[in-house]
Amino acid sequence: MSATPQRHRRTRRLALIAAAATVASGAMVAAALPAGATSGGGAGKSRTVDVQLLSFNDFHGTLEPPQGSSGTVTERQADGSTKAIPAGGVEYLATSLREARKGHEYSITAAAGDMIGGSPMLSGLFHDEPTVEALNNLKLDVSSVGNHEFDEGKTELRRMAYGGCHPVEGCFEMGKEFTGSEFKYLAANVVDEKTKRPLMSPTWIWKKGDVKIGFIGVTLEGTPDVVTADGVKGLKFGDEVETINKYAAELSKQGVNSIVALIHEGGLPANGAYNYDCNVPGAGAGISGAIVDIAKNVDPKVDALVTGHTHQAYACNIPDPAGNPRMVTSAASYGRLFTDTTLTYDRQTKDIVRTAALAPKPVNKVVSREVPKAPDMTALIDRWKALAAPVANRPMGYISGDIAGRGSEAPEKPLGDLIADAQLEATAPAAKGGAQLAIMNPGGIRADLAYKAAGDEGDGVVTYGESYTVQPFNNLLNVVDLTGAQLITALQQQVSGPVNGANPKILQVSKGFTYTLDMTRSGADRIVVDSVKLNGAAVDPAKTYRVVMNEFLAGGGDGFTVLKEHKNKLVGVPDLEAFNALLAKSTVAAPIAPPAADRITVVK
């Protein structure tokens, strides 16, 4: 449900890796030859060959260009200023990838998870079948699973991979059965608790002629922290480093020395521009987060790490345990970027050359909307839009300006306030639960609401398709009892603990609930306890309050473990229904204005 969780990571005692590192690493080719050199390659063959690796991550079924600020990337200019560039849309992604492949005899396209889940209505309404079809057309070769691949559970994930019509809703197109993915889904660290076997293939080997590269795919170990309990029922998620190292050894035994890990876990660059150099002042100096620890411990047998989950853009060099250069990349999200990397493959060692001179140098490239649309993708979108139109185009309400949600980097998001208000309004009546306040996880807000019309509905009109895109999970609202002390602890868990300490996850709150967040402090002390008030009165630690939240939060998701201690739960309507009910109260003459986002006072 959330885009950027951090979580418990077991202390890793992997010192032996470094001791054995130089034996297997491709970086230790004594005198790496430039591409085209003929020594040792056999008659008519060069010793080395360039293999193109195109990669992306966190697509989330975003077939059409994302609206609002979610549909731009930040570009750093030569003078140090930044510029927002419109980007994304599968019609443009297809064109960009196809152009990038031209002239490359050896080209692989890979992804690092969350291809589906949390998707806009065009894909989500049809359980992401349109997205899998689009990825097939993109000629995606392989992808790791991400946490959102488990939104609808393991059985539905298998259907995405292997095909078949939906078990409840059937086939969406007359006479057509969903065929599943043509690309390989990898889930090396996801084990079925009953069979003790990986849920899906742990590895896959790409071959062309005498060139072969192995792929290992893992999702974050903390997936159960960010997915509803039903989504991961019966599954165990293993440590990323231990899993990757295990399967790297297995690939090596099979004679596969060139290895790429696809990891649905990521980092946080020091700058949000896609072209920020995270290797200044030194290798990997400009990036933090979970992926740094992973990269520093993954076996040197692995030549490259393609990552995701944090929706950030970076192309870094984080040296492996032996000190050899190794690329770690992420291409933001929603198909706005892709990473283009040249891997120099040595036919004699069967490994990727990773000397200082020939280390892979990845480049993140913008999926510009100034290139021609891919006609086959336009036809795909039009076909599914026609099926969705009767539902998607229905007006839900009216807004007077852009209401930032996913695209906002502020702790308190205007759209978060609006969603929290909708949930409170839906459950405040005594018969509906008697809620006094609402809290909403920021990762559950999947888009902005844009004032400019996306279709023929007119500016300021919010369609069902747009509201669905904001809240696609269909989580039921839960109204529960929490003590004031538990409520304060929940606020403290936003900015402390193993999940949120390094990367705060600020809950969105309903009107009347206010407090101060002091970011000059550390950990739980960032919450100024005596500032926490409801309707102007200090929250009493000993008093009981009725609080509404979605079922994901009520289950302790996103590191809010205290919320599982609730009592007297009443299950309410789905979150989207509550949101649409609030929108429905607006009119053309009285549209909803963007909330001021003034409930949380932030001290920086």
Side-chain angles (χ1 to χ4, degrees), residues 442-467:
I445 307 167
R446 306 306 300 181
D448 300 336
L449 282 183
Y451 176 77
K452 185 174 176 57
D456 300 328
E457 71 272 17
D459 291 348
V461 178
V462 180
T463 65
Y464 183 84
E466 290 167 337
S467 64

Side-chain angles (χ1 to χ4, degrees), residues 140-144 162 181-186 201 203-204 262:
L140 179 63
D141 291 302
V142 60
S143 178
S144 68
Y162 306 124
S181 67
E182 294 172 8
F183 56 93
K184 193 73 172 180
Y185 254 132
L186 304 181
S201 299
T203 63
W204 177 74
L262 306 175

Side-chain angles (χ1 to χ4, degrees), residues 519-558:
M519 297 304 290
T520 66
R521 302 181 184 181
S522 61
D525 289 339
R526 289 171 169 172
I527 303 301
V528 181
V529 173
D530 60 8
S531 73
V532 182
K533 297 180 179 180
L534 179 60
N535 300 322
V539 167
D540 183 347
K543 187 177 177 181
T544 297
Y545 297 86
R546 292 292 282 169
V547 185
V548 61
M549 64 196 78
N550 60 45
E551 59 188 316
F552 169 70
L553 273 181
D558 274 353

